[in-house]
Amino acid sequence: MTDPSSMTTGATGTTAPDAGAGADDAVAASGSGKPSSLWGDARKRLVRSPVFMLSLLYLLVVTSMAVAPKLWTRQDPFDCSISLSRQPPTDGHPFGYNLLGCDYYAHAIYGARPSLSIALVATAAVVLIGGTIGLLSGFFGGWLDAILSRITDIFLSLPFLLGALVVLAMVSARNIWTVALALIVLGWTTIARIMRGSVIEARNLDYVQAARALGATNGRIMFRHILPNTIAPVLVYATIMLGSFVAAEATLTYLGVGLQPPAASWGVMINMHQVYFDTDPWLLFFPVGLLVGTVLSFILAGDALRDALDPKLQ
Amino acid sequence: MKLAATVAALGMLTAACGGSDSDEGSGGSDGGSAGGDLRIYSSEPAFLVPSAGDDEPSILVIRQLYRGLVKYNQEGAPELDIAESIETEDNQTWTVTLKDGYTFTNGEPVDADAFLRAWNYTGNLANSQNNSYFMGRIAGFEDLQKEGVKKNATFSGLKKVDDLTFTIELTQPFSGFESVLGYSGFFPMAQECIDDFDACNKTPIGNGPYKIEGEWENNVQIKLVRNEDYAGEDTGKPDSLTYRIFDDVDAAYAAFEGGELDVMYTVPPNKIGELESTVGDRLLKEPSSSFTYLGLPNYDDRFQDPDLRKALSMAIDRQAIIDAIFDGSLSPATGFVAPNFDGAREGICEACEYDLDAAKELYESTDGLEGPVELWANGGAGHEEWLQAVGDGWKSAFGIDYKLKVDVSDFGQYLEIADNQEFTGPYRLGWGPDYPVMETYLAPLYTTGAPSNNSGYANDEFDQLIKDGDSADSLEDAIPFYQQAEDILVEDMPVIPMWWGLTTVVWSENVAEMVHNPITDVDYGQISMN
Amino acid sequence: MGRYVVRRLLQFIPTVLGAIFLLHYLTSLGIQMTGNPARAIFGDRRPSEAQLQAMSESLGLGDKCLERVGDPCIGLYFDRLSDIFLRFDLGMNFTRRPVTDIIADGLSYTVKIVIIAIIFEILVGITAGVLAGLRSGNFVDYLVKISTVLVISVPVFVLGFLVRDMFLVNVGNSVRSSGNFPDWFAYGLMSPVYKPDYPWASLIIPGLVLGSISLATTARLTRTSILENVRADYVRTGRAKGLSEKRVIGVHTLRNSLIPVVTYLGIDFGALMGGAVVTEGIFGVPGIGREIFRAIAQQQPSVVVGITTALVLVFLVVNLLVDILYAVLDPRIRYD
């Protein structure tokens, strides 16, 4: 799959900045912050985009739930009484009670943390691992590229969900780290491909050739000249990935291999109450609403970011 | 999507107990006529061969394909089926005579050899058949279970007298042995079946009122048609039985609601509340014999005081948990033996009653527990919720914190922890009966060193009473001994009984008369259709 | 072209061997870390050493290396390879069903719903994407954008429940009782679960639900790609030399815009086969996804390795076909 792989990069919808933008990039990264730089322009465009600002606002709200749940509720989500099981929303308990008779609003607030942590841990690791592999593969080419590309092919050929299931069957424990691990093991390939494509494009640019001619070391070329060029597509993809990992946690939990109670993630809340969909739909409505909102915001933010960073679309 | 629950169901004998108001299938046409195709919900069976099928879906098919020495009547007592007579002097050596004229669908006769070859095959370690466990009482079992045993080795306790007669010798006297013989693991097998197990599993060679049409379409369906050569009286009523196989009970229930199925013997708990308005009286609810308990590590110093164990039990509001989490689809345990078993006494276990004040008082008189108490269950199998509710109850009653230990989601690994007695706190486990004798709830779980005694409970008096019961002259004489043994458990509380399952059967308007057996559950072959 | 295909086929070898090794290693590690899966078969009844040993042997779990954590079980790996490639024997599951049978029975259902899903993506996704791309910024564009993003963020199992319980059961029952519809529609297409009597009709709705996950991506990808291509030089040249608008858009722009979409669909084929786990469970489809899900949970290594290898092969072949399709779509690409 060597030939079309650079097209695959395009296929994920994250078009790498062209040569001109790349040069601007390098300038911006070196800190001179000219008003006409790619990032500066992008920022201006983003601030003017209502979709992006709304998404950002929503994500800030959700993040604050994850970081400081006590800001949002004084209830203890684990103070439960079975006699209150599945009581509908009332005064002081806007979301009602869950199956075990715990305050559902508190659960929804506290549920943000595990859901977001998994997505964040997994995305960070995927960017790091996939990015490094893609960078090395694209920059050095030759036999290293051949081997790394084959390895990428192997992981890419495994269906995502099945691979994640196999990894989770391997470790019997179910917590934030193991669920994130499953997502990482299967998720790094796309980033590696995007990175590799961008690096190959950037490697042959004139100013990189010039730097090489001037005797810059490989390390300097990679970090100083090539990396800044490749950040934009990776960033865009990582934003979208955050959203899809939040959804993936819920799906794995639904399949019974994700987080388990007493952990309180949105996925656990959905899974615990999905069977009451007919009778008590609000038990499903709140966690699904929060989840969908978060996934939506990440995707829309990623979209806006891509549009802002891609001068060709202006 | 409760997959681990399916795994847990492996190795459980189906025996839903409960009297049914429908009369026994007498072949009469009072409630409907013979004929029609009955579409039945099933999950994927493990095996369709008697020696290997030990899970509920397998047995519900096997019972229509095969017949054994005895069957169970509506009281749950054994009644002769293929056997002409089963006699014993000392409860240790049993002589079986067969009725003449029965054949397998491939033409082989159902004679003494048909039974002996099946049991020898099942009991031999070299064949690793799931039902070998149930052959454990026959003399010579130990030798057949030694490593390196020859494939053609046989039970020393099984002897053929003539074509229709054979004798069984047990390792120890057991008054309830006739009841045991009704389990599907003791059904006969044709020689052709043993010669090619895999073929016989796919296209069973039975001796019952139904025979397979085509072959077992794995994960899709199993179609049976009436066996016109069947020599017994209880011939099948519907022309055909179609077992539609589902992996997910919610999907199956959607199919039932959409008119795709005629009988469902499992209803998802969340649907139970609305049954009255959806199916009305086409519904049967009976306590089943599947037992869920909270084991206590008797091998752990902290759990050695019986008063503490009782206090813990009394602080659990079983009914409230059942109503909230299981929509009332279980019945709270009030004893150690399934309520519909001969000899069971309702309400025998006083400490199984929810009594918060008495629990607190009793708890104060003990050394108490130091929190957090670790509550164990195999993860991902739907036990987290009710365990949390139990923990919440203890927390409010005694002020001890709890922690769920549900991070072992591999059932095999969980069972290994049980085998090695490594639980660090109360743990959930289940039990299903091996045979319809109350002893099946006592001996395997609580006699010293018994294979399923994972709580480490040991009481000589209890062991002796079980032995006395086993060697009593008859089952009737045995029951008082077993009841005394249960009394000891009530005093000692080695484990906390939680609840019994509740069989909920619903059927469509195509079904004229439902036929349900207390031991073997729904008898599909005897259902008459409109 | 011929030489290219041969070269690609040769490249399959390391990928397949690597994938098998990866799965073999992961499943072995799982057994090493969580203990012998054969124990679960005995349930609450503790087996003797000899019984457990005999059961393990008969299930192919007897190798001692499965007790040493971290041991890659190289010997077992080569045994597996020679079984698979020399004897075409993929082993058995815990109920002694040959894995080759499981694949033969289940794969056709899974491939059927995946094909339905892909066709759905092509018909609806690409059309929506083209409309949105050509009319960038107007109402259609926003409509496509919002609806696709909404679909993408609703977890597929929630969507599946809604469709099954609300649509197929409730609406379906009134369709069935009205008697105004042909049987294939009322009892096939509208059946809440897969039905053996209607092997295609009753798979359509599950296929659509499965396809809806990737529908959004297909539409958005098409939109972006069209947007990029309508400004390309060749389009300007085409217009300048007097080609009709229909030809410029319909032939040139579309053809070029579809390249990344086709790539995506190729990769998506693999993702859909994995995603089928969920859809098959909800709609009672007896496909390969449910089998492998069960096998993974019960740690049946032969089944996991066997089925996944089959899926990997299907995935590789589909992607080879996709790459050949490139040459058709883009004359600049020549493989020889």
Side-chain angles (χ1 to χ4, degrees):
Chain A
M1 287 204 208
T2 25
D3 306 314
S5 55
S6 51
M7 287 181 225
T8 313
T9 314
T12 50
T14 52
T15 328
D18 63 15
D24 284 345
D25 238 9
V27 177
S30 62
S32 64
K34 277 193 214 164
S36 65
S37 78
L38 176 76
W39 292 96
D41 284 352
R43 195 171 59 226
K44 270 190 211 145
R45 276 188 223 115
L46 287 176
V47 172
R48 266 186 269 126
S49 154
V51 175
F52 181 81
M53 293 315 284
L54 276 176
S55 306
L56 194 68
L57 185 70
Y58 186 90
L59 291 175
L60 281 176
V61 167
V62 172
T63 311
S64 70
M65 289 181 191
V67 175
K70 293 222 161 64
L71 277 182
W72 292 85
T73 176
R74 282 206 203 105
Q75 298 269 355
D76 176 0
F78 297 106
D79 184 15
C80 317
S81 167
I82 196 79
S83 58
L84 292 171
S85 171
R86 289 193 276 135
Q87 297 281 321
T90 52
D91 263 357
H93 299 280
F95 287 12
Y97 294 88
N98 78 354
L99 185 60
L100 294 170
C102 319
D103 183 59
Y104 208 45
Y105 174 72
H107 256 266
I109 299 295
Y110 278 80
R113 185 180 287 176
S115 297
L116 288 185
S117 311
I118 288 177
L120 202 67
V121 168
T123 307
V126 159
V127 168
L128 206 67
I129 296 171
T132 310
I133 290 178
L135 180 63
L136 294 177
S137 184
F139 186 77
F140 290 106
W143 60 268
L144 187 69
D145 181 32
I147 291 176
L148 290 176
S149 293
R150 274 297 81 70
I151 293 177
T152 315
D153 279 353
I154 292 171
F155 279 89
L156 201 66
S157 66
L158 292 178
F160 183 88
L161 206 50
L162 295 185
L165 288 173
V166 173
V167 173
L168 282 167
M170 179 183 82
V171 284
S172 191
R174 300 278 179 270
N175 52 45
I176 290 178
W177 302 107
T178 54
V179 175
L181 176 77
L183 298 176
I184 295 164
V185 170
L186 274 298
W188 61 270
T189 48
T190 316
I191 289 272
R193 291 223 151 173
I194 292 174
M195 190 68 163
R196 177 175 172 276
S198 319
V199 170
I200 289 176
E201 231 172 291
R203 189 178 56 182
N204 299 321
L205 296 177
D206 291 345
Y207 73 94
V208 175
Q209 301 295 351
R212 201 183 289 276
L214 288 171
T217 60
N218 279 339
R220 189 179 161 78
I221 295 175
M222 260 197 277
F223 288 103
R224 193 87 188 159
H225 301 294
I226 290 188
L227 213 51
N229 255 315
T230 56
I231 281 180
V234 169
L235 192 70
V236 168
Y237 190 75
T239 315
I240 294 174
M241 207 164 207
L242 275 169
S244 53
F245 280 166
V246 170
E249 185 269 327
T251 305
L252 288 174
T253 303
Y254 163 74
L255 285 172
V257 295
L259 291 181
Q260 283 158 0
S265 74
W266 294 330
V268 171
M269 291 168 73
I270 294 172
N271 190 35
M272 195 190 266
H273 303 108
Q274 43 136 325
V275 292
Y276 300 105
F277 179 71
D278 299 351
T279 44
D280 306 299
W282 47 272
L283 282 173
L284 215 54
F285 180 77
F286 292 121
V288 169
L290 281 165
L291 182 84
V292 168
T294 309
V295 178
L296 201 63
S297 301
F298 274 124
I299 292 176
L300 289 176
D303 252 11
L305 204 59
R306 169 173 50 221
D307 290 350
L309 284 171
D310 190 347
K312 276 193 287 188
L313 293 179
Q314 298 316 315
Chain B
M1 294 278 159
K2 302 268 153 70
L3 198 101
T6 327
V7 186
L10 273 175
M12 229 179 249
L13 162 68
T14 172
C17 281
S20 152
D21 50 1
S22 54
D23 53 11
E24 266 196 278
S26 54
S29 55
D30 39 291
S33 53
D37 175 39
L38 188 70
R39 299 161 304 164
I40 302 160
Y41 157 73
S42 175
S43 52
E44 171 85 343
F47 295 98
L48 295 184
V49 177
S51 58
D54 66 344
D55 52 318
E56 190 172 53
S58 301
I59 292 172
L60 286 172
V61 181
I62 288 175
R63 283 199 178 273
Q64 300 302 332
L65 287 170
Y66 292 88
R67 281 294 143 103
L69 295 173
V70 302
K71 58 187 176 187
Y72 302 106
N73 64 20
Q74 287 297 320
E75 277 72 54
E79 208 169 69
L80 296 178
D81 192 354
I82 288 185
E84 180 81 50
S85 69
I86 300 176
E87 281 155 5
T88 181
E89 302 274 302
D90 55 0
N91 282 328
Q92 186 154 18
T93 307
W94 300 69
T95 306
V96 177
T97 316
L98 301 172
K99 288 177 188 154
D100 202 0
Y102 283 85
T103 53
F104 288 102
T105 46
N106 68 346
E108 285 185 44
V110 181
D111 53 11
D113 284 324
F115 284 92
L116 297 187
R117 80 166 74 92
W119 301 357
N120 282 324
Y121 181 78
T122 310
N124 192 318
L125 181 72
N127 302 317
S128 23
Q129 296 295 300
N130 292 349
N131 279 326
S132 65
Y133 166 89
F134 296 93
M135 304 285 146
R137 290 182 185 272
I138 303 175
F141 181 72
E142 296 264 293
D143 294 330
L144 281 185
Q145 289 287 318
K146 281 201 182 109
E147 233 173 306
V149 67
K150 286 204 172 60
K151 248 190 142 63
N152 58 0
T154 55
F155 278 107
S156 60
L158 293 178
K159 292 207 174 63
K160 179 181 171 182
V161 179
D162 59 47
D163 273 354
L164 293 175
T165 318
F166 62 96
T167 60
I168 310 162
E169 196 199 329
L170 304 182
T171 48
Q172 284 175 39
F174 180 43
S175 45
F177 188 63
E178 199 180 329
S179 271
V180 175
L181 290 173
Y183 173 55
S184 64
F186 289 91
F187 287 179
M189 283 162 73
Q191 184 62 43
E192 192 184 333
C193 192
I194 287 181
D195 292 341
D196 190 344
F197 178 94
D198 292 331
C200 181
N201 190 34
K202 193 90 178 156
T203 322
I205 304 165
N207 66 329
Y210 283 89
K211 60 183 180 187
I212 193 147
E213 185 180 76
E215 56 173 30
W216 171 8
E217 293 172 59
N218 291 84
N219 295 313
V220 181
Q221 60 182 1
I222 299 168
K223 204 161 169 106
L224 309 186
V225 291
R226 206 185 297 120
N227 177 8
E228 303 298 347
D229 300 329
Y230 177 60
E233 289 163 5
D234 49 346
T235 48
K237 282 186 178 170
D239 292 332
S240 57
L241 307 177
T242 306
Y243 295 81
R244 291 274 303 275
I245 300 170
F246 292 89
D247 206 40
D248 182 33
V249 68
D250 293 322
Y253 197 78
F256 177 77
E257 288 180 309
E260 292 288 321
L261 291 170
D262 292 320
V263 187
M264 265 200 85
Y265 67 81
T266 318
V267 177
N270 59 307
K271 299 282 182 186
I272 284 180
E274 63 186 52
L275 283 181
E276 244 163 62
S277 61
T278 51
V279 299
D281 56 357
R282 290 178 278 117
L283 161 77
L284 178 79
K285 268 189 189 180
E286 296 291 348
S288 87
S289 49
S290 75
F291 179 48
T292 301
Y293 63 92
L294 202 52
L296 295 170
N298 288 232
Y299 44 82
D300 185 324
D301 286 343
R302 294 174 298 160
F303 292 96
Q304 283 185 347
D305 183 352
D307 282 344
L308 174 75
R309 303 200 287 246
K310 278 188 201 162
L312 291 176
S313 172
M314 284 152 81
I316 300 172
D317 190 350
R318 293 170 177 74
Q319 191 63 54
I321 297 177
I322 290 171
D323 288 343
I325 298 175
F326 300 99
D327 289 83
S329 65
L330 299 165
S331 67
T334 61
F336 291 78
V337 177
N340 302 83
F341 267 54
D342 210 5
R345 293 157 297 164
E346 193 82 12
I348 176 79
C349 170
E350 277 166 23
C352 298
E353 295 276 320
Y354 175 59
D355 187 341
L356 196 56
D357 298 330
K360 281 181 183 163
E361 201 176 308
L362 194 59
Y363 182 81
E364 286 309 316
S365 72
T366 67
D367 294 342
L369 277 176
E370 222 166 280
V373 179
E374 294 186 317
L375 286 168
W376 288 73
N378 49 319
H383 303 300
E384 292 87 354
E385 288 90 356
W386 70 260
L387 265 188
Q388 261 177 283
V390 167
D392 289 337
W394 289 348
K395 193 165 148 189
S396 67
F398 312 130
I400 41 175
D401 233 332
Y402 72 94
K403 204 170 109 191
L404 283 200
K405 289 280 282 182
V406 289
D407 46 3
V408 177
S409 49
D410 182 74
F411 192 52
Q413 190 183 5
Y414 184 74
L415 290 168
E416 261 177 56
I417 298 175
D419 294 347
N420 301 333
Q421 305 199 328
E422 284 165 354
F423 287 123
T424 54
Y427 55 92
R428 97 81 223 176
L429 266 178
W431 182 253
D434 294 344
Y435 35 82
V437 179
M438 69 183 284
E439 190 251 18
T440 191
Y441 286 104
L442 304 172
L445 288 172
Y446 314 109
T447 40
T448 312
S452 300
N453 179 351
N454 37 52
S455 65
Y457 177 67
N459 185 321
D460 294 340
E461 208 184 327
F462 177 87
D463 295 354
Q464 189 55 47
L465 282 165
I466 294 291
K467 231 177 233 164
D468 292 346
D470 285 357
S471 50
D473 285 343
S474 69
L475 203 50
E476 268 165 51
D477 298 335
I479 283 175
F481 290 108
Y482 296 147
Q483 288 181 335
Q484 287 175 48
E486 192 187 3
D487 290 339
I488 294 180
L489 296 182
V490 167
E491 276 314 301
D492 281 358
M493 213 69 182
V495 306
I496 299 175
M498 291 302 297
W499 40 66
W500 303 95
L502 200 63
T503 307
T504 308
V505 189
V506 292
W507 54 92
S508 74
E509 278 156 357
N510 298 334
V511 173
E513 190 198 0
M514 171 56 57
V515 181
H516 185 268
N517 183 285
I519 305 298
T520 53
D521 223 327
V522 184
D523 191 350
Y524 298 124
Q526 295 302 318
I527 290 176
S528 32
M529 301 185 67
N530 289 325
Chain C
M1 184 62 96
R3 265 174 53 208
Y4 169 75
V5 172
V6 171
R7 204 179 78 218
R8 284 290 301 274
L9 285 174
L10 285 177
Q11 280 181 3
F12 281 7
I13 297 172
T15 309
V16 171
L17 291 184
I20 295 180
F21 180 76
L22 185 68
L23 288 164
H24 160 82
Y25 186 62
L26 287 176
T27 49
S28 303
L29 202 59
I31 292 173
Q32 289 158 356
M33 284 166 42
T34 60
N36 190 344
R39 173 62 188 86
I41 292 173
F42 295 91
D44 302 318
R45 303 176 173 87
R46 184 182 346 177
S48 71
E49 269 308 299
Q51 283 169 333
L52 189 60
Q53 185 64 29
M55 187 59 86
S56 310
E57 302 263 320
S58 77
L59 299 174
L61 300 167
D63 200 306
K64 285 282 169 235
C65 78
L66 292 173
E67 288 164 21
R68 294 186 292 268
V69 178
D71 189 326
C73 293
I74 296 293
L76 202 58
Y77 173 63
F78 284 105
D79 286 351
R80 241 187 246 292
L81 285 187
S82 68
D83 278 347
I84 294 176
F85 292 107
L86 301 181
R87 285 183 279 284
F88 203 65
D89 172 11
L90 299 179
M92 290 188 302
N93 74 356
F94 282 4
T95 57
R96 304 200 196 187
R97 232 184 130 207
V99 176
T100 40
D101 282 9
I102 296 177
I103 294 174
D105 286 354
L107 196 58
S108 69
Y109 299 106
T110 305
V111 169
K112 267 183 204 163
I113 59 171
V114 169
I115 287 176
I116 292 171
I118 295 264
I119 291 176
F120 176 56
E121 281 172 36
I122 291 174
L123 291 183
V124 180
I126 293 185
T127 313
V130 169
L131 287 179
L134 291 180
R135 313 242 184 302
S136 154
N138 76 354
F139 174 71
V140 180
D141 187 18
Y142 277 105
L143 187 73
V144 168
K145 196 167 182 175
I146 301 283
S147 58
T148 52
V149 169
L150 255 179
V151 172
I152 214 175
S153 18
V154 176
V156 66
F157 58 89
V158 175
L159 189 68
F161 279 133
L162 283 175
V163 169
R164 188 189 68 195
D165 290 353
M166 299 289 122
F167 183 64
L168 295 177
V169 172
N170 293 347
V171 179
N173 276 348
S174 36
V175 165
R176 279 182 282 274
S177 60
S178 76
N180 295 333
F181 296 91
D183 276 4
W184 69 265
F185 181 80
Y187 297 96
L189 188 102
M190 293 297 284
S191 167
V193 290
Y194 169 72
K195 205 170 169 186
D197 301 343
Y198 296 98
W200 276 99
S202 59
L203 287 179
I204 291 178
I205 301 280
L208 298 190
V209 169
L210 180 65
S212 69
I213 322 170
S214 320
L215 182 67
T217 319
T218 313
R220 292 147 53 78
L221 206 52
T222 313
R223 171 185 175 271
T224 318
S225 188
I226 292 267
L227 223 51
E228 272 173 29
N229 275 294
V230 284
R231 291 150 205 235
D233 291 345
Y234 69 87
V235 173
R236 209 177 307 149
T237 315
R239 285 210 179 96
K241 75 175 183 182
L243 285 181
S244 70
E245 191 67 6
K246 220 184 224 168
R247 197 167 163 76
V248 170
I249 298 295
V251 179
H252 295 282
T253 316
L254 200 57
R255 192 156 108 168
N256 277 293
S257 308
L258 284 185
I259 293 172
V261 181
V262 168
T263 315
Y264 170 73
L265 290 177
I267 290 177
D268 193 41
F269 200 91
L272 287 177
M273 283 192 298
V277 171
V278 177
T279 327
E280 287 174 6
I282 292 172
F283 295 100
V285 179
I288 208 96
R290 299 306 296 163
E291 279 291 345
I292 197 167
F293 179 59
R294 202 174 3 214
I296 290 169
Q298 296 176 4
Q299 299 206 321
Q300 308 190 11
S302 317
V303 187
V304 176
V305 173
I307 295 182
T308 318
T309 308
L311 293 183
V312 167
L313 277 174
V314 172
F315 174 79
L316 290 176
V317 170
V318 167
N319 277 284
L320 175 59
L321 294 177
V322 164
D323 289 348
I324 293 172
L325 202 62
Y326 278 145
V328 181
L329 286 173
D330 187 350
R332 284 172 300 183
I333 297 174
R334 287 282 171 263
Y335 289 126
D336 280 314

